[in-house]
Amino acid sequence: REVVQETNPDFKFCPWIPRRVSHEFPLGDNYHDMREFLAAVGELGPHLGPIVLKLPETFAPESWQTIVRFARRCPKDKRFVVHLTHMDWFR
């Protein structure tokens, strides 16, 4: 909390969702770790910027509905960005 209080008022942290949520379990199935992560980043208060969801290289466009389901479960008061790495997203 000290670091947050000493941070420039305009600065935003953009935390990445842990691999345990994005890679090690099917996306959206690891509710426990996601809840803990969201509680922790919530401590950033007004310094919380977008939360980054980096998906594994194996996450192809055919899995789009998984992202949609995950997004529906995400808190609406937080912003999320998705980092796609599978090459088919760019074709």
Side-chain angles (χ1 to χ4, degrees), residues 7 21 32-33 66 73 79 82 87:
T7 301
V21 174
H32 175 74
D33 286 341
T66 305
R73 293 182 185 152
R79 293 181 299 150
V82 179
M87 290 308 295

Side-chain angles (χ1 to χ4, degrees), residues 15-78:
W16 290 53
I17 292 174
R19 289 180 61 88
R20 284 190 49 80
V21 174
S22 63
H23 287 62
E24 295 178 20
F25 291 87
L27 185 61
D29 283 1
N30 189 345
Y31 302 112
H32 175 74
D33 286 341
M34 185 65 175
R35 275 193 305 272
E36 282 188 358
F37 169 75
L38 290 171
V41 300
E43 295 293 319
L44 296 171
H47 294 288
L48 178 60
I51 297 170
V52 181
L53 169 63
K54 180 181 180 185
L55 294 170
E57 292 177 7
T58 56
F59 199 92
E62 295 78 31
S63 302
W64 176 250
Q65 285 304 315
T66 305
I67 298 172
V68 172
R69 281 191 301 279
F70 180 80
R72 286 185 182 137
R73 293 182 185 152
C74 289
K76 304 302 179 226
D77 65 330
K78 295 183 176 35

